[in-house]
Amino acid sequence: MAEAAHRYDETMPLEYRTEESRLNILGFWIFLGAEVALFATLFATYLVLFQRTGSGPTAKDLFEVKDVLIETLLLLTSSFTCGLAIFEMRRNRLSGLLTWLLVTLLLGAGFITFEIREFIHYVHEGATMQTSAFLSSFFVLVGTHGAHVSLGIGWMILIIIQLLQRGFTPRTARKVFIVSLYWHFLDVVWIFIFTLVYLTGMVI
Amino acid sequence: MKWSEFFVTGEPLIYAADVAIVLTIIGIVFVLTYFKKWKWLWDEWLTTVDHKKIGIMYIICAVLMLFRGGVDALLMRAQLTAPNMKFLDAQHYNEIFTTHGTIMILFMAMPFIIGLMNVVVPLQIGARDVAYPYLNALSFWLFFFGAMLFNISFVIGGSPDAGWTAYFPLASNEFSPGVGNNYYAVALQISGIGTLMTGINFLVTILKMRAPGMTLMRMPMFTWTVLITCVIIIFAFPVLTVALALMTFDRLFDTQFFTMANGGMSMLWANLFWIWGHPEVYIVILPSFGIFSEIVSTFARKRLFGYKAMVGSIVGIAFLSFIVWVHHFFTMGAGPAVNSFFSITTMAIAIPTGVKVFNWLFTLRKGKIRFTTAMLWALAFIPNFVIGGVTGVMLAMAAADYQYHNSYFLIAHFHYVLIAGTVFACFAGLHYWYPKMFGHLLNERLGKWTFWLFMIGFNVCFFPMYFLGLMGMTRRMYTYSAGLGWTPLNVVATIGAALMGIGFIVLCYNIYYSARYGERDMTGDPWDGRTLEWATASPPAHYNFPITPEVTDLDAYWVMKKNGNGLEVKEEQLKPIHMPSNSGRPFLISIAFFFAGFGLVFKWFTLAIIAAIFIILGLILRSFDDDDGYYISVDEIKRTERLARKGA
């Protein structure tokens, strides 16, 4: 930590100015590397198990294009608005940042709502986590992503509160930047879920 | 659940343990109260974010866990000494080999290595602390409470009994209905989260916080091994996280991942477990290689031979560690093509490892060798480890493995690599860096007693097991009949285990003896060291270095000593030093993790949810925390440094 922690670099964007911020952002990138390994394991598990449906329904019986497409659009849009939020932060406009963060948050909440509806629907059809290995791995993979998004929403709310209290500081700027990295990462994961779980599931 | 099921009952050993635990707790509380040490404990240890103190706490826990795992080992040896022994029954034996394996790997070897990492790495790279001191404290406390949760299974609810690999379907609800394996899943999860954070923390620390001039290729070898180990941790531990989570779902919520019906696949567990498990053994062996490299170079008074080849071989081993996992279950029947691939990758590991062995030997060549205790451990490591390595290559041949698989040959092999590799390194590192941690040396005479007792005991214990394995004795069998002819070698092995136990007792006595009468280290450099940790006082002030050292070459401190007086501190160079503040939150959050885990083990979901709320509350408070640390004034640094020098 040393003096280095406060080595201030005016030429950098606000979120990169202190040494502490630079360390935290790098650390978060590495954490995302670990998250990649985590989701890769869940995907591998799903791919191993997805045709092992036992006496339960198959992917083809279960998935419905429309709902999943709505979820996808909501989450992809939220990633775009999250990017706009960072763009506004770079332009030093707090109100723009807050607006786009709020839009991101609502889109994320919309995504979660649809996902929960989807899950409830499956359960009503008799497709629960306990039914078959396919469904266990499906619910755990998609559910882990959903839990990440929910956590991201809670985290973003905390950061919005801090922005309202403290405005732009190197610290709040760094937090916004890190949560945006997290949000984009979840978007990438969803693209894989959409292709490998839903699209593949509807074809095979 | 009835109370009689909640507490483990019916065994005199368990009642004795109950009494011992209660007495120990009363004893600790009494001592702390009598000497009015509660505040000291809280201020100096429970809330500390100082990497040196965190490292010391890791090592203390590791030694305690070595005791626990060692007692397990001695109980097993006692049971196997003679045929048809009635000392332990089958169930109790199952529990003991499970906890022995799990504790030794995850709660002894890992924390011992991570403890040494914590103490040494920031000092070796000339840093004031790690990149995220708060996170570091959280890592430690998560490990600690994970370990505690695992250990209470012994007296509350019952220990896991499906082996440390917890293979399905044995570890499923169907075949292991008690709470034992819930403990396994949850406790390992909690401490695993801590380990993952340690990996990220040290990777960033080493990449970003090295002293000016210390390029990657000027880093001490121990730091290099830790860097690569961190990369392995970051990619291996998430696999464990997932595997344990799936196990938890299977056991608590009746999902079908590893079950025998409804599409479940128990082989998937074995694969996931070893995709983590094999890199895991390199997580504990690579830093050990680093420790030996430092010690061999210091006590041969020579620069490490083949530095670049060493670095290359660590990277090679790290890469290979991810593509060998199937060799743990060749007999599962994945087919000749798959088995051949993993057989070849496994044998390939012998190449970079061999490179390293020759590098150590060439470092010794024409060196002015000093036979200190630390050096003895390092020297003994080479031949013993080679025995383990060569038998490893034998096991790597898939066709032959069908004969050795799960026999005592395997037991002997992995104890030869893990004890002669990791445990020897832990003891070597402990003796080597002890003065840096505590300001006094461990007694060399007692140290050498420990070394000879333990090293000879180790060989007497494990060498016969190779032959027992070839004679057909398989692992995890709790007894055998007299006609098999295994008795003499088993008696020999038990004698060896007892010698190791005595060696451990001498080590513990040495710690006590040296604290009272040990030689104080006034110089900060008792071994004529080569790397930066010896350039500062023993023990270092909490800011480590009064001024940040400038590095011009490998063996930075050695070069400084050759060109002058080492690290010179001129008072006018001093600047205020920024340090992070202590925090009690990591400790409290980890307690919440403990209760959440305990709730999950017994399916008391209300308790788990309440504890989870406390965890989230802790995270929220952290988010709103804007503590920026504090500055140590130049005057205070001057005072501390003058005091340290007056000692010298």
mmCIF file of all heavy atoms in Angstrom, chain B residues 446-481:
data_model
loop_
_atom_site.group_PDB
_atom_site.id
_atom_site.type_symbol
_atom_site.label_atom_id
_atom_site.label_comp_id
_atom_site.label_asym_id
_atom_site.label_seq_id
_atom_site.Cartn_x
_atom_site.Cartn_y
_atom_site.Cartn_z
ATOM 1 N N LEU B 446 18.225 -28.968 18.855
ATOM 2 C CA LEU B 446 16.895 -29.598 18.877
ATOM 3 C C LEU B 446 16.353 -29.738 17.462
ATOM 4 O O LEU B 446 15.701 -30.728 17.121
ATOM 5 C CB LEU B 446 15.936 -28.763 19.731
ATOM 6 C CG LEU B 446 16.158 -28.822 21.232
ATOM 7 C CD1 LEU B 446 15.316 -27.770 21.937
ATOM 8 C CD2 LEU B 446 15.812 -30.211 21.745
ATOM 9 N N GLY B 447 16.657 -28.749 16.631
ATOM 10 C CA GLY B 447 16.202 -28.789 15.246
ATOM 11 C C GLY B 447 16.751 -30.006 14.530
ATOM 12 O O GLY B 447 16.033 -30.685 13.785
ATOM 13 N N LYS B 448 18.027 -30.289 14.785
ATOM 14 C CA LYS B 448 18.622 -31.448 14.126
ATOM 15 C C LYS B 448 18.052 -32.753 14.660
ATOM 16 O O LYS B 448 17.887 -33.720 13.916
ATOM 17 C CB LYS B 448 20.142 -31.406 14.249
ATOM 18 C CG LYS B 448 20.716 -30.413 13.256
ATOM 19 C CD LYS B 448 22.179 -30.112 13.427
ATOM 20 C CE LYS B 448 22.540 -29.000 12.454
ATOM 21 N NZ LYS B 448 23.838 -28.403 12.711
ATOM 22 N N TRP B 449 17.728 -32.783 15.948
ATOM 23 C CA TRP B 449 17.036 -33.955 16.514
ATOM 24 C C TRP B 449 15.710 -34.164 15.791
ATOM 25 O O TRP B 449 15.376 -35.276 15.391
ATOM 26 C CB TRP B 449 16.787 -33.770 18.018
ATOM 27 C CG TRP B 449 17.914 -34.296 18.848
ATOM 28 C CD1 TRP B 449 18.895 -33.559 19.455
ATOM 29 C CD2 TRP B 449 18.180 -35.668 19.144
ATOM 30 N NE1 TRP B 449 19.762 -34.397 20.107
ATOM 31 C CE2 TRP B 449 19.350 -35.698 19.941
ATOM 32 C CE3 TRP B 449 17.548 -36.870 18.816
ATOM 33 C CZ2 TRP B 449 19.895 -36.888 20.400
ATOM 34 C CZ3 TRP B 449 18.092 -38.052 19.277
ATOM 35 C CH2 TRP B 449 19.267 -38.058 20.068
ATOM 36 N N THR B 450 14.946 -33.062 15.668
ATOM 37 C CA THR B 450 13.670 -33.175 14.952
ATOM 38 C C THR B 450 13.912 -33.752 13.573
ATOM 39 O O THR B 450 13.216 -34.676 13.130
ATOM 40 C CB THR B 450 13.019 -31.785 14.778
ATOM 41 O OG1 THR B 450 12.984 -31.129 16.021
ATOM 42 C CG2 THR B 450 11.626 -31.899 14.201
ATOM 43 N N PHE B 451 14.902 -33.180 12.894
ATOM 44 C CA PHE B 451 15.164 -33.603 11.522
ATOM 45 C C PHE B 451 15.452 -35.085 11.441
ATOM 46 O O PHE B 451 14.820 -35.819 10.681
ATOM 47 C CB PHE B 451 16.327 -32.805 10.932
ATOM 48 C CG PHE B 451 16.850 -33.408 9.654
ATOM 49 C CD1 PHE B 451 16.154 -33.252 8.470
ATOM 50 C CD2 PHE B 451 18.018 -34.154 9.643
ATOM 51 C CE1 PHE B 451 16.608 -33.827 7.303
ATOM 52 C CE2 PHE B 451 18.480 -34.739 8.479
ATOM 53 C CZ PHE B 451 17.773 -34.579 7.304
ATOM 54 N N TRP B 452 16.404 -35.571 12.239
ATOM 55 C CA TRP B 452 16.794 -36.980 12.119
ATOM 56 C C TRP B 452 15.675 -37.911 12.523
ATOM 57 O O TRP B 452 15.405 -38.918 11.862
ATOM 58 C CB TRP B 452 18.072 -37.265 12.916
ATOM 59 C CG TRP B 452 19.284 -36.667 12.260
ATOM 60 C CD1 TRP B 452 20.020 -35.597 12.700
ATOM 61 C CD2 TRP B 452 19.870 -37.075 11.009
ATOM 62 N NE1 TRP B 452 21.025 -35.327 11.803
ATOM 63 C CE2 TRP B 452 20.970 -36.197 10.760
ATOM 64 C CE3 TRP B 452 19.579 -38.067 10.083
ATOM 65 C CZ2 TRP B 452 21.768 -36.308 9.630
ATOM 66 C CZ3 TRP B 452 20.361 -38.182 8.950
ATOM 67 C CH2 TRP B 452 21.455 -37.301 8.727
ATOM 68 N N LEU B 453 14.982 -37.568 13.652
ATOM 69 C CA LEU B 453 13.872 -38.420 14.079
ATOM 70 C C LEU B 453 12.807 -38.504 13.001
ATOM 71 O O LEU B 453 12.335 -39.578 12.633
ATOM 72 C CB LEU B 453 13.258 -37.860 15.371
ATOM 73 C CG LEU B 453 14.036 -38.141 16.647
ATOM 74 C CD1 LEU B 453 13.516 -37.256 17.780
ATOM 75 C CD2 LEU B 453 13.887 -39.613 17.029
ATOM 76 N N PHE B 454 12.448 -37.339 12.479
ATOM 77 C CA PHE B 454 11.332 -37.292 11.542
ATOM 78 C C PHE B 454 11.716 -37.917 10.207
ATOM 79 O O PHE B 454 10.962 -38.683 9.621
ATOM 80 C CB PHE B 454 10.885 -35.834 11.340
ATOM 81 C CG PHE B 454 9.521 -35.707 10.711
ATOM 82 C CD1 PHE B 454 8.378 -35.583 11.485
ATOM 83 C CD2 PHE B 454 9.374 -35.702 9.326
ATOM 84 C CE1 PHE B 454 7.123 -35.481 10.903
ATOM 85 C CE2 PHE B 454 8.108 -35.593 8.741
ATOM 86 C CZ PHE B 454 6.989 -35.474 9.541
ATOM 87 N N MET B 455 12.926 -37.601 9.757
ATOM 88 C CA MET B 455 13.333 -38.082 8.437
ATOM 89 C C MET B 455 13.518 -39.598 8.440
ATOM 90 O O MET B 455 13.039 -40.291 7.536
ATOM 91 C CB MET B 455 14.612 -37.368 8.016
ATOM 92 C CG MET B 455 14.850 -37.355 6.534
ATOM 93 S SD MET B 455 15.709 -38.797 5.967
ATOM 94 C CE MET B 455 17.318 -38.511 6.690
ATOM 95 N N ILE B 456 14.178 -40.109 9.487
ATOM 96 C CA ILE B 456 14.344 -41.564 9.569
ATOM 97 C C ILE B 456 12.980 -42.221 9.780
ATOM 98 O O ILE B 456 12.629 -43.191 9.100
ATOM 99 C CB ILE B 456 15.337 -41.933 10.698
ATOM 100 C CG1 ILE B 456 16.736 -41.429 10.326
ATOM 101 C CG2 ILE B 456 15.339 -43.442 10.951
ATOM 102 C CD1 ILE B 456 17.750 -41.542 11.441
ATOM 103 N N GLY B 457 12.195 -41.657 10.690
ATOM 104 C CA GLY B 457 10.859 -42.192 10.946
ATOM 105 C C GLY B 457 10.026 -42.238 9.679
ATOM 106 O O GLY B 457 9.329 -43.222 9.404
ATOM 107 N N PHE B 458 10.132 -41.188 8.891
ATOM 108 C CA PHE B 458 9.375 -41.108 7.640
ATOM 109 C C PHE B 458 9.730 -42.274 6.718
ATOM 110 O O PHE B 458 8.852 -42.954 6.172
ATOM 111 C CB PHE B 458 9.650 -39.754 6.978
ATOM 112 C CG PHE B 458 9.362 -39.714 5.512
ATOM 113 C CD1 PHE B 458 8.051 -39.737 5.057
ATOM 114 C CD2 PHE B 458 10.388 -39.646 4.584
ATOM 115 C CE1 PHE B 458 7.775 -39.708 3.704
ATOM 116 C CE2 PHE B 458 10.121 -39.609 3.238
ATOM 117 C CZ PHE B 458 8.810 -39.646 2.791
ATOM 118 N N ASN B 459 11.026 -42.541 6.568
ATOM 119 C CA ASN B 459 11.435 -43.637 5.691
ATOM 120 C C ASN B 459 11.061 -45.006 6.255
ATOM 121 O O ASN B 459 10.625 -45.892 5.513
ATOM 122 C CB ASN B 459 12.942 -43.567 5.421
ATOM 123 C CG ASN B 459 13.251 -42.601 4.292
ATOM 124 O OD1 ASN B 459 12.971 -42.889 3.134
ATOM 125 N ND2 ASN B 459 13.793 -41.439 4.626
ATOM 126 N N VAL B 460 11.214 -45.136 7.582
ATOM 127 C CA VAL B 460 10.848 -46.410 8.204
ATOM 128 C C VAL B 460 9.347 -46.650 8.057
ATOM 129 O O VAL B 460 8.891 -47.776 7.871
ATOM 130 C CB VAL B 460 11.271 -46.413 9.690
ATOM 131 C CG1 VAL B 460 10.727 -47.641 10.400
ATOM 132 C CG2 VAL B 460 12.782 -46.347 9.809
ATOM 133 N N CYS B 461 8.582 -45.562 8.112
ATOM 134 C CA CYS B 461 7.130 -45.702 8.036
ATOM 135 C C CYS B 461 6.670 -46.007 6.610
ATOM 136 O O CYS B 461 5.856 -46.897 6.395
ATOM 137 C CB CYS B 461 6.466 -44.426 8.544
ATOM 138 S SG CYS B 461 4.674 -44.510 8.533
ATOM 139 N N PHE B 462 7.181 -45.258 5.635
ATOM 140 C CA PHE B 462 6.571 -45.327 4.314
ATOM 141 C C PHE B 462 7.291 -46.243 3.325
ATOM 142 O O PHE B 462 6.669 -46.712 2.384
ATOM 143 C CB PHE B 462 6.389 -43.923 3.731
ATOM 144 C CG PHE B 462 5.340 -43.149 4.458
ATOM 145 C CD1 PHE B 462 5.683 -42.187 5.403
ATOM 146 C CD2 PHE B 462 3.998 -43.426 4.254
ATOM 147 C CE1 PHE B 462 4.706 -41.505 6.111
ATOM 148 C CE2 PHE B 462 3.020 -42.747 4.955
ATOM 149 C CZ PHE B 462 3.372 -41.789 5.881
ATOM 150 N N PHE B 463 8.580 -46.482 3.529
ATOM 151 C CA PHE B 463 9.259 -47.335 2.554
ATOM 152 C C PHE B 463 8.664 -48.754 2.538
ATOM 153 O O PHE B 463 8.411 -49.300 1.460
ATOM 154 C CB PHE B 463 10.770 -47.351 2.785
ATOM 155 C CG PHE B 463 11.531 -47.695 1.532
ATOM 156 C CD1 PHE B 463 11.630 -46.773 0.491
ATOM 157 C CD2 PHE B 463 12.114 -48.946 1.366
ATOM 158 C CE1 PHE B 463 12.286 -47.092 -0.685
ATOM 159 C CE2 PHE B 463 12.787 -49.267 0.192
ATOM 160 C CZ PHE B 463 12.868 -48.342 -0.835
ATOM 161 N N PRO B 464 8.376 -49.352 3.717
ATOM 162 C CA PRO B 464 7.762 -50.694 3.695
ATOM 163 C C PRO B 464 6.430 -50.716 2.963
ATOM 164 O O PRO B 464 6.016 -51.751 2.461
ATOM 165 C CB PRO B 464 7.561 -51.018 5.183
ATOM 166 C CG PRO B 464 8.475 -50.114 5.916
ATOM 167 C CD PRO B 464 8.625 -48.888 5.093
ATOM 168 N N MET B 465 5.778 -49.564 2.901
ATOM 169 C CA MET B 465 4.434 -49.559 2.294
ATOM 170 C C MET B 465 4.489 -49.846 0.799
ATOM 171 O O MET B 465 3.530 -50.383 0.234
ATOM 172 C CB MET B 465 3.747 -48.226 2.553
ATOM 173 C CG MET B 465 3.345 -48.051 4.004
ATOM 174 S SD MET B 465 2.337 -46.591 4.210
ATOM 175 C CE MET B 465 2.307 -46.505 5.995
ATOM 176 N N TYR B 466 5.601 -49.473 0.143
ATOM 177 C CA TYR B 466 5.740 -49.844 -1.267
ATOM 178 C C TYR B 466 5.604 -51.366 -1.406
ATOM 179 O O TYR B 466 4.914 -51.871 -2.287
ATOM 180 C CB TYR B 466 7.112 -49.424 -1.800
ATOM 181 C CG TYR B 466 7.238 -47.956 -2.124
ATOM 182 C CD1 TYR B 466 8.203 -47.163 -1.495
ATOM 183 C CD2 TYR B 466 6.419 -47.361 -3.080
ATOM 184 C CE1 TYR B 466 8.337 -45.825 -1.805
ATOM 185 C CE2 TYR B 466 6.552 -46.019 -3.386
ATOM 186 C CZ TYR B 466 7.510 -45.252 -2.750
ATOM 187 O OH TYR B 466 7.646 -43.929 -3.057
ATOM 188 N N PHE B 467 6.278 -52.074 -0.501
ATOM 189 C CA PHE B 467 6.267 -53.529 -0.592
ATOM 190 C C PHE B 467 4.917 -54.095 -0.164
ATOM 191 O O PHE B 467 4.416 -55.033 -0.765
ATOM 192 C CB PHE B 467 7.430 -54.115 0.216
ATOM 193 C CG PHE B 467 8.744 -53.617 -0.310
ATOM 194 C CD1 PHE B 467 9.423 -52.575 0.300
ATOM 195 C CD2 PHE B 467 9.272 -54.157 -1.478
ATOM 196 C CE1 PHE B 467 10.607 -52.098 -0.222
ATOM 197 C CE2 PHE B 467 10.462 -53.681 -2.007
ATOM 198 C CZ PHE B 467 11.130 -52.646 -1.381
ATOM 199 N N LEU B 468 4.324 -53.483 0.865
ATOM 200 C CA LEU B 468 2.984 -53.928 1.267
ATOM 201 C C LEU B 468 2.021 -53.806 0.101
ATOM 202 O O LEU B 468 1.181 -54.678 -0.138
ATOM 203 C CB LEU B 468 2.490 -53.082 2.444
ATOM 204 C CG LEU B 468 3.037 -53.465 3.808
ATOM 205 C CD1 LEU B 468 2.636 -52.421 4.843
ATOM 206 C CD2 LEU B 468 2.526 -54.835 4.221
ATOM 207 N N GLY B 469 2.177 -52.725 -0.656
ATOM 208 C CA GLY B 469 1.312 -52.518 -1.822
ATOM 209 C C GLY B 469 1.528 -53.606 -2.852
ATOM 210 O O GLY B 469 0.561 -54.187 -3.372
ATOM 211 N N LEU B 470 2.799 -53.892 -3.123
ATOM 212 C CA LEU B 470 3.078 -54.931 -4.116
ATOM 213 C C LEU B 470 2.616 -56.303 -3.620
ATOM 214 O O LEU B 470 2.323 -57.197 -4.409
ATOM 215 C CB LEU B 470 4.575 -54.956 -4.433
ATOM 216 C CG LEU B 470 5.106 -53.675 -5.104
ATOM 217 C CD1 LEU B 470 6.606 -53.760 -5.301
ATOM 218 C CD2 LEU B 470 4.414 -53.416 -6.435
ATOM 219 N N MET B 471 2.544 -56.464 -2.286
ATOM 220 C CA MET B 471 2.062 -57.736 -1.737
ATOM 221 C C MET B 471 0.540 -57.805 -1.728
ATOM 222 O O MET B 471 -0.032 -58.805 -1.304
ATOM 223 C CB MET B 471 2.583 -57.915 -0.301
ATOM 224 C CG MET B 471 4.070 -58.227 -0.224
ATOM 225 S SD MET B 471 4.759 -57.816 1.398
ATOM 226 C CE MET B 471 4.249 -59.215 2.336
ATOM 227 N N GLY B 472 -0.099 -56.707 -2.143
ATOM 228 C CA GLY B 472 -1.553 -56.766 -2.298
ATOM 229 C C GLY B 472 -2.367 -56.022 -1.254
ATOM 230 O O GLY B 472 -3.591 -56.064 -1.285
ATOM 231 N N MET B 473 -1.711 -55.343 -0.348
ATOM 232 C CA MET B 473 -2.496 -54.626 0.667
ATOM 233 C C MET B 473 -3.086 -53.362 0.044
ATOM 234 O O MET B 473 -2.372 -52.553 -0.534
ATOM 235 C CB MET B 473 -1.594 -54.244 1.845
ATOM 236 C CG MET B 473 -2.350 -53.578 2.974
ATOM 237 S SD MET B 473 -1.360 -53.581 4.477
ATOM 238 C CE MET B 473 -2.234 -52.398 5.466
ATOM 239 N N THR B 474 -4.391 -53.200 0.125
ATOM 240 C CA THR B 474 -5.025 -52.037 -0.481
ATOM 241 C C THR B 474 -5.298 -50.967 0.564
ATOM 242 O O THR B 474 -5.413 -51.258 1.752
ATOM 243 C CB THR B 474 -6.354 -52.417 -1.163
ATOM 244 O OG1 THR B 474 -7.161 -53.079 -0.208
ATOM 245 C CG2 THR B 474 -6.102 -53.319 -2.353
ATOM 246 N N ARG B 475 -5.407 -49.752 0.098
ATOM 247 C CA ARG B 475 -5.637 -48.625 1.002
ATOM 248 C C ARG B 475 -7.042 -48.720 1.589
ATOM 249 O O ARG B 475 -7.924 -49.371 1.028
ATOM 250 C CB ARG B 475 -5.436 -47.304 0.259
ATOM 251 C CG ARG B 475 -6.620 -46.899 -0.605
ATOM 252 C CD ARG B 475 -6.328 -45.775 -1.573
ATOM 253 N NE ARG B 475 -6.106 -44.480 -0.971
ATOM 254 C CZ ARG B 475 -6.156 -43.331 -1.635
ATOM 255 N NH1 ARG B 475 -6.410 -43.304 -2.928
ATOM 256 N NH2 ARG B 475 -5.932 -42.187 -1.047
ATOM 257 N N ARG B 476 -7.245 -48.053 2.695
ATOM 258 C CA ARG B 476 -8.560 -47.893 3.323
ATOM 259 C C ARG B 476 -9.129 -49.190 3.895
ATOM 260 O O ARG B 476 -10.282 -49.235 4.289
ATOM 261 C CB ARG B 476 -9.571 -47.278 2.339
ATOM 262 C CG ARG B 476 -9.233 -45.838 2.035
ATOM 263 C CD ARG B 476 -10.037 -45.252 0.914
ATOM 264 N NE ARG B 476 -9.592 -43.869 0.668
ATOM 265 C CZ ARG B 476 -9.798 -43.207 -0.452
ATOM 266 N NH1 ARG B 476 -10.451 -43.754 -1.441
ATOM 267 N NH2 ARG B 476 -9.359 -41.967 -0.577
ATOM 268 N N MET B 477 -8.330 -50.275 3.931
ATOM 269 C CA MET B 477 -8.829 -51.473 4.611
ATOM 270 C C MET B 477 -8.485 -51.331 6.089
ATOM 271 O O MET B 477 -7.386 -50.916 6.439
ATOM 272 C CB MET B 477 -8.236 -52.745 4.003
ATOM 273 C CG MET B 477 -6.734 -52.853 4.028
ATOM 274 S SD MET B 477 -6.129 -54.160 2.956
ATOM 275 C CE MET B 477 -7.315 -55.447 3.271
ATOM 276 N N TYR B 478 -9.483 -51.628 6.951
ATOM 277 C CA TYR B 478 -9.271 -51.298 8.355
ATOM 278 C C TYR B 478 -8.616 -52.433 9.126
ATOM 279 O O TYR B 478 -8.152 -52.244 10.241
ATOM 280 C CB TYR B 478 -10.572 -50.832 9.017
ATOM 281 C CG TYR B 478 -11.444 -51.913 9.572
ATOM 282 C CD1 TYR B 478 -11.539 -52.119 10.942
ATOM 283 C CD2 TYR B 478 -12.173 -52.724 8.713
ATOM 284 C CE1 TYR B 478 -12.343 -53.114 11.442
ATOM 285 C CE2 TYR B 478 -12.976 -53.720 9.213
ATOM 286 C CZ TYR B 478 -13.064 -53.914 10.578
ATOM 287 O OH TYR B 478 -13.857 -54.897 11.065
ATOM 288 N N THR B 479 -8.598 -53.614 8.528
ATOM 289 C CA THR B 479 -7.877 -54.700 9.193
ATOM 290 C C THR B 479 -7.564 -55.781 8.165
ATOM 291 O O THR B 479 -7.990 -55.680 7.011
ATOM 292 C CB THR B 479 -8.666 -55.268 10.377
ATOM 293 O OG1 THR B 479 -7.815 -56.118 11.130
ATOM 294 C CG2 THR B 479 -9.884 -56.060 9.907
ATOM 295 N N TYR B 480 -6.778 -56.771 8.567
ATOM 296 C CA TYR B 480 -6.391 -57.823 7.635
ATOM 297 C C TYR B 480 -6.148 -59.090 8.439
ATOM 298 O O TYR B 480 -5.980 -59.037 9.661
ATOM 299 C CB TYR B 480 -5.134 -57.430 6.858
ATOM 300 C CG TYR B 480 -3.984 -56.986 7.736
ATOM 301 C CD1 TYR B 480 -3.034 -57.918 8.180
ATOM 302 C CD2 TYR B 480 -3.855 -55.673 8.154
ATOM 303 C CE1 TYR B 480 -1.999 -57.520 8.999
ATOM 304 C CE2 TYR B 480 -2.821 -55.264 8.968
ATOM 305 C CZ TYR B 480 -1.886 -56.189 9.390
ATOM 306 O OH TYR B 480 -0.878 -55.803 10.216
ATOM 307 N N SER B 481 -6.123 -60.231 7.737
ATOM 308 C CA SER B 481 -5.938 -61.469 8.497
ATOM 309 C C SER B 481 -4.459 -61.844 8.557
ATOM 310 O O SER B 481 -3.663 -61.427 7.712
ATOM 311 C CB SER B 481 -6.759 -62.598 7.881
ATOM 312 O OG SER B 481 -6.301 -62.825 6.563
#
